[in-house]
Amino acid sequence: MIRTYKFLMRPTTGQQVALGEMLRDHCSLYNGALQERRDAWRHVSKTSVTYETQSAQLKEIRAFDPERQGRWSFPSQQATLRRLDKAFAAFFRRIRSGDVPGYPRFRGMNRFATVVFPKDGDGCRWDSTPHDSVTRVRFQGIGHIKVNRHRLVVGKVKTVSVKREGRRWYVVLTAERTAPDPLPATGSVTGIDLGIANFLADSNGRFVPNPRHGRKAAAKLEAAQQALAQCKRGSNRRKEVAAKIGDLHRKVRRQRLDHAHKTALDLVREHDLIAHEDPKIRKMSRAPAPTPDPERPDAFLPNGATAKAGLNKSIADAGWGVFLTILHAKAESAGREVIAVDPRNTSRTCPECGHVSAENRPTQERFHCTACGHSAHADTVGALNVLRAGLARREASPAQREAPAPTPGRSHTGKSSSCGRAPRPGRHRPAPAGRPAGR
């Protein structure tokens, strides 16, 4: 089991300069390797340059430029070349699948912010001064840097990375653990329904409000972006405003991550099994296709793009994908079970009689069954149906659990669905139960 740890570094002024030079030289190596691949393929011979070929040239490059390329760790430079090789591999994969290719492009210093050291102890050393109470990390060509280690690192450190975010420097570790440390069993299960009005609703009737961090910071971002548009290109004022905009975006990102971590931790501590809907976020946030006007050429009919853009912005601000990723990771570490189910009709199915109809949800928040008259909050009903489908998937065979199962219940015609209806669980304590790369 691999886990990632991210700690703030506190380098001195001289170390900050050295860290910037390390990023600059690795960026130069990346761009030079990309240029070599482009030139080789444009040649009449159509030569394909691979990672092995470029890695074998590192020794000569380091000997030719000892003050820059020869100053840094050899494995970290290999990792930079491997990063370019992965970019080309993804490029050719997208070509084969028919997606937009996206040819690898040259990186400016503002777009190259990470250097990876593939092995702890080879060019870098985590906790380089264990005899001292202050944690430090050592990098070749830079020295020992103080680290604000706010939590213990569990497991064996495998890789160490340096990352720049604005004016801050971070060290990112990947550590391997042999086995998870399970939490005590609680005997409780829950289903969760993700939304925008409420970030989360569970099957027990609890709601987690949506903090809307992006919307709260929108006014400051708008003002900063307007100030940026008024600045002269290349001026120091423009650089300061651009740095402020980046700081605002990073603050929103940290707030969103903090909320996701705390919400996921509460769920993992309280429940043995967590069932959640599997939202297709990319499809949900897709812009509507334009509607041509049949009466006027080169004209289009209204298609609700403005309203959809606002909805897409709210979906992105909620951060469902980040939350679900964190939830699965925390559940794995705690020995909990997380099951994803098909979200179709979860908020239209009556948890009492199983009747499915769009008319069961007259408003965004209200659920009222047209068959039996059951009324409840629509998000709570969705969470109950998600939990029922998750329990059904847990009892199913492994072959049936490969794809999310449709929500059990009845269709709007009154006929039973093909999957049947699972027994309703208790509210709190249910029954146990291609082409070569480089071209």
Side-chain angles (χ1 to χ4, degrees), residues 311-332:
L311 177 62
N312 294 346
K313 192 173 183 179
S314 298
I315 292 175
D317 190 19
W320 297 339
V322 172
F323 166 73
L324 293 178
T325 301
I326 293 173
L327 176 63
H328 279 263
K330 289 187 180 297
E332 182 184 12

mmCIF file with all atom_site columns, all heavy atoms in Angstrom, residues 311-332:
data_model
loop_
_atom_site.group_PDB
_atom_site.id
_atom_site.type_symbol
_atom_site.label_atom_id
_atom_site.label_alt_id
_atom_site.label_comp_id
_atom_site.label_asym_id
_atom_site.label_entity_id
_atom_site.label_seq_id
_atom_site.pdbx_PDB_ins_code
_atom_site.Cartn_x
_atom_site.Cartn_y
_atom_site.Cartn_z
_atom_site.occupancy
_atom_site.B_iso_or_equiv
_atom_site.pdbx_formal_charge
_atom_site.auth_seq_id
_atom_site.auth_comp_id
_atom_site.auth_asym_id
_atom_site.auth_atom_id
_atom_site.pdbx_PDB_model_num
ATOM 1   N N   . LEU A 1 311 ? -23.829 25.698 -13.563 1.00 0.00 ? 311 LEU A N   1
ATOM 2   C CA  . LEU A 1 311 ? -23.914 24.389 -12.911 1.00 0.00 ? 311 LEU A CA  1
ATOM 3   C C   . LEU A 1 311 ? -22.561 23.681 -12.936 1.00 0.00 ? 311 LEU A C   1
ATOM 4   O O   . LEU A 1 311 ? -22.136 23.080 -11.936 1.00 0.00 ? 311 LEU A O   1
ATOM 5   C CB  . LEU A 1 311 ? -24.977 23.540 -13.593 1.00 0.00 ? 311 LEU A CB  1
ATOM 6   C CG  . LEU A 1 311 ? -25.134 22.104 -13.074 1.00 0.00 ? 311 LEU A CG  1
ATOM 7   C CD1 . LEU A 1 311 ? -25.546 22.111 -11.605 1.00 0.00 ? 311 LEU A CD1 1
ATOM 8   C CD2 . LEU A 1 311 ? -26.152 21.339 -13.910 1.00 0.00 ? 311 LEU A CD2 1
ATOM 9   N N   . ASN A 1 312 ? -21.878 23.746 -14.073 1.00 0.00 ? 312 ASN A N   1
ATOM 10  C CA  . ASN A 1 312 ? -20.558 23.116 -14.180 1.00 0.00 ? 312 ASN A CA  1
ATOM 11  C C   . ASN A 1 312 ? -19.565 23.728 -13.192 1.00 0.00 ? 312 ASN A C   1
ATOM 12  O O   . ASN A 1 312 ? -18.742 23.021 -12.606 1.00 0.00 ? 312 ASN A O   1
ATOM 13  C CB  . ASN A 1 312 ? -20.030 23.246 -15.604 1.00 0.00 ? 312 ASN A CB  1
ATOM 14  C CG  . ASN A 1 312 ? -20.865 22.470 -16.604 1.00 0.00 ? 312 ASN A CG  1
ATOM 15  O OD1 . ASN A 1 312 ? -21.681 21.634 -16.239 1.00 0.00 ? 312 ASN A OD1 1
ATOM 16  N ND2 . ASN A 1 312 ? -20.673 22.759 -17.881 1.00 0.00 ? 312 ASN A ND2 1
ATOM 17  N N   . LYS A 1 313 ? -19.665 25.034 -13.006 1.00 0.00 ? 313 LYS A N   1
ATOM 18  C CA  . LYS A 1 313 ? -18.776 25.705 -12.059 1.00 0.00 ? 313 LYS A CA  1
ATOM 19  C C   . LYS A 1 313 ? -19.053 25.249 -10.632 1.00 0.00 ? 313 LYS A C   1
ATOM 20  O O   . LYS A 1 313 ? -18.132 25.048 -9.831  1.00 0.00 ? 313 LYS A O   1
ATOM 21  C CB  . LYS A 1 313 ? -18.943 27.222 -12.189 1.00 0.00 ? 313 LYS A CB  1
ATOM 22  C CG  . LYS A 1 313 ? -17.888 28.037 -11.471 1.00 0.00 ? 313 LYS A CG  1
ATOM 23  C CD  . LYS A 1 313 ? -18.044 29.510 -11.790 1.00 0.00 ? 313 LYS A CD  1
ATOM 24  C CE  . LYS A 1 313 ? -16.942 30.326 -11.115 1.00 0.00 ? 313 LYS A CE  1
ATOM 25  N NZ  . LYS A 1 313 ? -17.071 31.774 -11.452 1.00 0.00 ? 313 LYS A NZ  1
ATOM 26  N N   . SER A 1 314 ? -20.314 25.050 -10.310 1.00 0.00 ? 314 SER A N   1
ATOM 27  C CA  . SER A 1 314 ? -20.673 24.575 -8.973  1.00 0.00 ? 314 SER A CA  1
ATOM 28  C C   . SER A 1 314 ? -20.212 23.133 -8.761  1.00 0.00 ? 314 SER A C   1
ATOM 29  O O   . SER A 1 314 ? -19.774 22.774 -7.659  1.00 0.00 ? 314 SER A O   1
ATOM 30  C CB  . SER A 1 314 ? -22.191 24.676 -8.770  1.00 0.00 ? 314 SER A CB  1
ATOM 31  O OG  . SER A 1 314 ? -22.630 26.016 -8.851  1.00 0.00 ? 314 SER A OG  1
ATOM 32  N N   . ILE A 1 315 ? -20.304 22.302 -9.792  1.00 0.00 ? 315 ILE A N   1
ATOM 33  C CA  . ILE A 1 315 ? -19.836 20.917 -9.685  1.00 0.00 ? 315 ILE A CA  1
ATOM 34  C C   . ILE A 1 315 ? -18.331 20.886 -9.443  1.00 0.00 ? 315 ILE A C   1
ATOM 35  O O   . ILE A 1 315 ? -17.833 20.133 -8.597  1.00 0.00 ? 315 ILE A O   1
ATOM 36  C CB  . ILE A 1 315 ? -20.212 20.132 -10.961 1.00 0.00 ? 315 ILE A CB  1
ATOM 37  C CG1 . ILE A 1 315 ? -21.735 19.956 -11.044 1.00 0.00 ? 315 ILE A CG1 1
ATOM 38  C CG2 . ILE A 1 315 ? -19.523 18.776 -10.987 1.00 0.00 ? 315 ILE A CG2 1
ATOM 39  C CD1 . ILE A 1 315 ? -22.203 19.302 -12.335 1.00 0.00 ? 315 ILE A CD1 1
ATOM 40  N N   . ALA A 1 316 ? -17.604 21.719 -10.184 1.00 0.00 ? 316 ALA A N   1
ATOM 41  C CA  . ALA A 1 316 ? -16.152 21.763 -9.989  1.00 0.00 ? 316 ALA A CA  1
ATOM 42  C C   . ALA A 1 316 ? -15.797 22.298 -8.607  1.00 0.00 ? 316 ALA A C   1
ATOM 43  O O   . ALA A 1 316 ? -14.838 21.833 -7.974  1.00 0.00 ? 316 ALA A O   1
ATOM 44  C CB  . ALA A 1 316 ? -15.511 22.625 -11.080 1.00 0.00 ? 316 ALA A CB  1
ATOM 45  N N   . ASP A 1 317 ? -16.564 23.272 -8.117  1.00 0.00 ? 317 ASP A N   1
ATOM 46  C CA  . ASP A 1 317 ? -16.288 23.846 -6.799  1.00 0.00 ? 317 ASP A CA  1
ATOM 47  C C   . ASP A 1 317 ? -16.543 22.836 -5.687  1.00 0.00 ? 317 ASP A C   1
ATOM 48  O O   . ASP A 1 317 ? -15.871 22.854 -4.652  1.00 0.00 ? 317 ASP A O   1
ATOM 49  C CB  . ASP A 1 317 ? -17.152 25.091 -6.602  1.00 0.00 ? 317 ASP A CB  1
ATOM 50  C CG  . ASP A 1 317 ? -16.756 25.895 -5.375  1.00 0.00 ? 317 ASP A CG  1
ATOM 51  O OD1 . ASP A 1 317 ? -15.620 25.695 -4.894  1.00 0.00 ? 317 ASP A OD1 1
ATOM 52  O OD2 . ASP A 1 317 ? -17.566 26.712 -4.908  1.00 0.00 ? 317 ASP A OD2 1
ATOM 53  N N   . ALA A 1 318 ? -17.515 21.938 -5.877  1.00 0.00 ? 318 ALA A N   1
ATOM 54  C CA  . ALA A 1 318 ? -17.804 20.930 -4.856  1.00 0.00 ? 318 ALA A CA  1
ATOM 55  C C   . ALA A 1 318 ? -16.651 19.942 -4.694  1.00 0.00 ? 318 ALA A C   1
ATOM 56  O O   . ALA A 1 318 ? -16.384 19.461 -3.592  1.00 0.00 ? 318 ALA A O   1
ATOM 57  C CB  . ALA A 1 318 ? -19.096 20.199 -5.200  1.00 0.00 ? 318 ALA A CB  1
ATOM 58  N N   . GLY A 1 319 ? -15.970 19.600 -5.785  1.00 0.00 ? 319 GLY A N   1
ATOM 59  C CA  . GLY A 1 319 ? -14.816 18.707 -5.691  1.00 0.00 ? 319 GLY A CA  1
ATOM 60  C C   . GLY A 1 319 ? -15.186 17.274 -5.367  1.00 0.00 ? 319 GLY A C   1
ATOM 61  O O   . GLY A 1 319 ? -14.563 16.645 -4.507  1.00 0.00 ? 319 GLY A O   1
ATOM 62  N N   . TRP A 1 320 ? -16.193 16.726 -6.054  1.00 0.00 ? 320 TRP A N   1
ATOM 63  C CA  . TRP A 1 320 ? -16.615 15.344 -5.787  1.00 0.00 ? 320 TRP A CA  1
ATOM 64  C C   . TRP A 1 320 ? -15.502 14.345 -6.067  1.00 0.00 ? 320 TRP A C   1
ATOM 65  O O   . TRP A 1 320 ? -15.286 13.410 -5.300  1.00 0.00 ? 320 TRP A O   1
ATOM 66  C CB  . TRP A 1 320 ? -17.833 14.996 -6.641  1.00 0.00 ? 320 TRP A CB  1
ATOM 67  C CG  . TRP A 1 320 ? -19.041 15.808 -6.346  1.00 0.00 ? 320 TRP A CG  1
ATOM 68  C CD1 . TRP A 1 320 ? -19.309 16.510 -5.199  1.00 0.00 ? 320 TRP A CD1 1
ATOM 69  C CD2 . TRP A 1 320 ? -20.155 16.041 -7.205  1.00 0.00 ? 320 TRP A CD2 1
ATOM 70  N NE1 . TRP A 1 320 ? -20.510 17.150 -5.287  1.00 0.00 ? 320 TRP A NE1 1
ATOM 71  C CE2 . TRP A 1 320 ? -21.067 16.882 -6.507  1.00 0.00 ? 320 TRP A CE2 1
ATOM 72  C CE3 . TRP A 1 320 ? -20.496 15.625 -8.491  1.00 0.00 ? 320 TRP A CE3 1
ATOM 73  C CZ2 . TRP A 1 320 ? -22.274 17.282 -7.062  1.00 0.00 ? 320 TRP A CZ2 1
ATOM 74  C CZ3 . TRP A 1 320 ? -21.702 16.025 -9.043  1.00 0.00 ? 320 TRP A CZ3 1
ATOM 75  C CH2 . TRP A 1 320 ? -22.576 16.853 -8.337  1.00 0.00 ? 320 TRP A CH2 1
ATOM 76  N N   . GLY A 1 321 ? -14.816 14.517 -7.180  1.00 0.00 ? 321 GLY A N   1
ATOM 77  C CA  . GLY A 1 321 ? -13.776 13.557 -7.549  1.00 0.00 ? 321 GLY A CA  1
ATOM 78  C C   . GLY A 1 321 ? -12.657 13.496 -6.523  1.00 0.00 ? 321 GLY A C   1
ATOM 79  O O   . GLY A 1 321 ? -12.184 12.405 -6.152  1.00 0.00 ? 321 GLY A O   1
ATOM 80  N N   . VAL A 1 322 ? -12.218 14.658 -6.034  1.00 0.00 ? 322 VAL A N   1
ATOM 81  C CA  . VAL A 1 322 ? -11.168 14.691 -5.015  1.00 0.00 ? 322 VAL A CA  1
ATOM 82  C C   . VAL A 1 322 ? -11.650 14.015 -3.735  1.00 0.00 ? 322 VAL A C   1
ATOM 83  O O   . VAL A 1 322 ? -10.934 13.220 -3.112  1.00 0.00 ? 322 VAL A O   1
ATOM 84  C CB  . VAL A 1 322 ? -10.754 16.150 -4.732  1.00 0.00 ? 322 VAL A CB  1
ATOM 85  C CG1 . VAL A 1 322 ? -9.801  16.226 -3.548  1.00 0.00 ? 322 VAL A CG1 1
ATOM 86  C CG2 . VAL A 1 322 ? -10.113 16.770 -5.967  1.00 0.00 ? 322 VAL A CG2 1
ATOM 87  N N   . PHE A 1 323 ? -12.885 14.288 -3.344  1.00 0.00 ? 323 PHE A N   1
ATOM 88  C CA  . PHE A 1 323 ? -13.428 13.696 -2.115  1.00 0.00 ? 323 PHE A CA  1
ATOM 89  C C   . PHE A 1 323 ? -13.506 12.171 -2.220  1.00 0.00 ? 323 PHE A C   1
ATOM 90  O O   . PHE A 1 323 ? -13.118 11.463 -1.273  1.00 0.00 ? 323 PHE A O   1
ATOM 91  C CB  . PHE A 1 323 ? -14.816 14.278 -1.841  1.00 0.00 ? 323 PHE A CB  1
ATOM 92  C CG  . PHE A 1 323 ? -15.587 13.517 -0.806  1.00 0.00 ? 323 PHE A CG  1
ATOM 93  C CD1 . PHE A 1 323 ? -15.242 13.608 0.540   1.00 0.00 ? 323 PHE A CD1 1
ATOM 94  C CD2 . PHE A 1 323 ? -16.646 12.700 -1.170  1.00 0.00 ? 323 PHE A CD2 1
ATOM 95  C CE1 . PHE A 1 323 ? -15.947 12.892 1.497   1.00 0.00 ? 323 PHE A CE1 1
ATOM 96  C CE2 . PHE A 1 323 ? -17.351 11.992 -0.227  1.00 0.00 ? 323 PHE A CE2 1
ATOM 97  C CZ  . PHE A 1 323 ? -17.006 12.090 1.118   1.00 0.00 ? 323 PHE A CZ  1
ATOM 98  N N   . LEU A 1 324 ? -13.990 11.648 -3.331  1.00 0.00 ? 324 LEU A N   1
ATOM 99  C CA  . LEU A 1 324 ? -14.114 10.198 -3.467  1.00 0.00 ? 324 LEU A CA  1
ATOM 100 C C   . LEU A 1 324 ? -12.746 9.520  -3.491  1.00 0.00 ? 324 LEU A C   1
ATOM 101 O O   . LEU A 1 324 ? -12.582 8.423  -2.949  1.00 0.00 ? 324 LEU A O   1
ATOM 102 C CB  . LEU A 1 324 ? -14.905 9.861  -4.734  1.00 0.00 ? 324 LEU A CB  1
ATOM 103 C CG  . LEU A 1 324 ? -16.382 10.264 -4.716  1.00 0.00 ? 324 LEU A CG  1
ATOM 104 C CD1 . LEU A 1 324 ? -17.044 9.929  -6.050  1.00 0.00 ? 324 LEU A CD1 1
ATOM 105 C CD2 . LEU A 1 324 ? -17.112 9.568  -3.570  1.00 0.00 ? 324 LEU A CD2 1
ATOM 106 N N   . THR A 1 325 ? -11.767 10.161 -4.114  1.00 0.00 ? 325 THR A N   1
ATOM 107 C CA  . THR A 1 325 ? -10.413 9.600  -4.102  1.00 0.00 ? 325 THR A CA  1
ATOM 108 C C   . THR A 1 325 ? -9.866  9.517  -2.677  1.00 0.00 ? 325 THR A C   1
ATOM 109 O O   . THR A 1 325 ? -9.285  8.499  -2.272  1.00 0.00 ? 325 THR A O   1
ATOM 110 C CB  . THR A 1 325 ? -9.482  10.452 -4.976  1.00 0.00 ? 325 THR A CB  1
ATOM 111 O OG1 . THR A 1 325 ? -9.987  10.481 -6.315  1.00 0.00 ? 325 THR A OG1 1
ATOM 112 C CG2 . THR A 1 325 ? -8.074  9.880  -4.990  1.00 0.00 ? 325 THR A CG2 1
ATOM 113 N N   . ILE A 1 326 ? -10.060 10.583 -1.910  1.00 0.00 ? 326 ILE A N   1
ATOM 114 C CA  . ILE A 1 326 ? -9.594  10.595 -0.523  1.00 0.00 ? 326 ILE A CA  1
ATOM 115 C C   . ILE A 1 326 ? -10.366 9.577  0.313   1.00 0.00 ? 326 ILE A C   1
ATOM 116 O O   . ILE A 1 326 ? -9.788  8.879  1.165   1.00 0.00 ? 326 ILE A O   1
ATOM 117 C CB  . ILE A 1 326 ? -9.733  12.013 0.056   1.00 0.00 ? 326 ILE A CB  1
ATOM 118 C CG1 . ILE A 1 326 ? -8.767  12.967 -0.652  1.00 0.00 ? 326 ILE A CG1 1
ATOM 119 C CG2 . ILE A 1 326 ? -9.500  12.021 1.556   1.00 0.00 ? 326 ILE A CG2 1
ATOM 120 C CD1 . ILE A 1 326 ? -8.944  14.422 -0.264  1.00 0.00 ? 326 ILE A CD1 1
ATOM 121 N N   . LEU A 1 327 ? -11.666 9.459  0.074   1.00 0.00 ? 327 LEU A N   1
ATOM 122 C CA  . LEU A 1 327 ? -12.484 8.511  0.830   1.00 0.00 ? 327 LEU A CA  1
ATOM 123 C C   . LEU A 1 327 ? -12.003 7.073  0.614   1.00 0.00 ? 327 LEU A C   1
ATOM 124 O O   . LEU A 1 327 ? -11.874 6.297  1.570   1.00 0.00 ? 327 LEU A O   1
ATOM 125 C CB  . LEU A 1 327 ? -13.951 8.654  0.416   1.00 0.00 ? 327 LEU A CB  1
ATOM 126 C CG  . LEU A 1 327 ? -14.935 7.670  1.056   1.00 0.00 ? 327 LEU A CG  1
ATOM 127 C CD1 . LEU A 1 327 ? -14.981 7.868  2.565   1.00 0.00 ? 327 LEU A CD1 1
ATOM 128 C CD2 . LEU A 1 327 ? -16.329 7.840  0.458   1.00 0.00 ? 327 LEU A CD2 1
ATOM 129 N N   . HIS A 1 328 ? -11.721 6.707  -0.632  1.00 0.00 ? 328 HIS A N   1
ATOM 130 C CA  . HIS A 1 328 ? -11.246 5.346  -0.920  1.00 0.00 ? 328 HIS A CA  1
ATOM 131 C C   . HIS A 1 328 ? -9.889  5.099  -0.261  1.00 0.00 ? 328 HIS A C   1
ATOM 132 O O   . HIS A 1 328 ? -9.639  4.002  0.264   1.00 0.00 ? 328 HIS A O   1
ATOM 133 C CB  . HIS A 1 328 ? -11.171 5.143  -2.429  1.00 0.00 ? 328 HIS A CB  1
ATOM 134 C CG  . HIS A 1 328 ? -12.486 4.808  -3.063  1.00 0.00 ? 328 HIS A CG  1
ATOM 135 N ND1 . HIS A 1 328 ? -12.875 3.518  -3.340  1.00 0.00 ? 328 HIS A ND1 1
ATOM 136 C CD2 . HIS A 1 328 ? -13.515 5.604  -3.462  1.00 0.00 ? 328 HIS A CD2 1
ATOM 137 C CE1 . HIS A 1 328 ? -14.084 3.522  -3.892  1.00 0.00 ? 328 HIS A CE1 1
ATOM 138 N NE2 . HIS A 1 328 ? -14.482 4.779  -3.982  1.00 0.00 ? 328 HIS A NE2 1
ATOM 139 N N   . ALA A 1 329 ? -9.001  6.084  -0.285  1.00 0.00 ? 329 ALA A N   1
ATOM 140 C CA  . ALA A 1 329 ? -7.682  5.900  0.316   1.00 0.00 ? 329 ALA A CA  1
ATOM 141 C C   . ALA A 1 329 ? -7.778  5.742  1.830   1.00 0.00 ? 329 ALA A C   1
ATOM 142 O O   . ALA A 1 329 ? -7.124  4.864  2.416   1.00 0.00 ? 329 ALA A O   1
ATOM 143 C CB  . ALA A 1 329 ? -6.781  7.087  -0.045  1.00 0.00 ? 329 ALA A CB  1
ATOM 144 N N   . LYS A 1 330 ? -8.577  6.575  2.484   1.00 0.00 ? 330 LYS A N   1
ATOM 145 C CA  . LYS A 1 330 ? -8.718  6.470  3.938   1.00 0.00 ? 330 LYS A CA  1
ATOM 146 C C   . LYS A 1 330 ? -9.405  5.167  4.328   1.00 0.00 ? 330 LYS A C   1
ATOM 147 O O   . LYS A 1 330 ? -9.053  4.555  5.355   1.00 0.00 ? 330 LYS A O   1
ATOM 148 C CB  . LYS A 1 330 ? -9.506  7.672  4.471   1.00 0.00 ? 330 LYS A CB  1
ATOM 149 C CG  . LYS A 1 330 ? -8.738  8.982  4.427   1.00 0.00 ? 330 LYS A CG  1
ATOM 150 C CD  . LYS A 1 330 ? -9.502  10.083 5.119   1.00 0.00 ? 330 LYS A CD  1
ATOM 151 C CE  . LYS A 1 330 ? -8.735  11.397 5.085   1.00 0.00 ? 330 LYS A CE  1
ATOM 152 N NZ  . LYS A 1 330 ? -7.460  11.334 5.818   1.00 0.00 ? 330 LYS A NZ  1
ATOM 153 N N   . ALA A 1 331 ? -10.389 4.736  3.542   1.00 0.00 ? 331 ALA A N   1
ATOM 154 C CA  . ALA A 1 331 ? -11.064 3.475  3.854   1.00 0.00 ? 331 ALA A CA  1
ATOM 155 C C   . ALA A 1 331 ? -10.112 2.293  3.722   1.00 0.00 ? 331 ALA A C   1
ATOM 156 O O   . ALA A 1 331 ? -10.157 1.353  4.526   1.00 0.00 ? 331 ALA A O   1
ATOM 157 C CB  . ALA A 1 331 ? -12.271 3.295  2.934   1.00 0.00 ? 331 ALA A CB  1
ATOM 158 N N   . GLU A 1 332 ? -9.249  2.324  2.722   1.00 0.00 ? 332 GLU A N   1
ATOM 159 C CA  . GLU A 1 332 ? -8.274  1.249  2.565   1.00 0.00 ? 332 GLU A CA  1
ATOM 160 C C   . GLU A 1 332 ? -7.313  1.205  3.743   1.00 0.00 ? 332 GLU A C   1
ATOM 161 O O   . GLU A 1 332 ? -6.981  0.122  4.254   1.00 0.00 ? 332 GLU A O   1
ATOM 162 C CB  . GLU A 1 332 ? -7.498  1.437  1.264   1.00 0.00 ? 332 GLU A CB  1
ATOM 163 C CG  . GLU A 1 332 ? -6.492  0.329  0.984   1.00 0.00 ? 332 GLU A CG  1
ATOM 164 C CD  . GLU A 1 332 ? -5.666  0.595  -0.256  1.00 0.00 ? 332 GLU A CD  1
ATOM 165 O OE1 . GLU A 1 332 ? -5.712  1.738  -0.757  1.00 0.00 ? 332 GLU A OE1 1
ATOM 166 O OE2 . GLU A 1 332 ? -4.972  -0.330 -0.718  1.00 0.00 ? 332 GLU A OE2 1
#
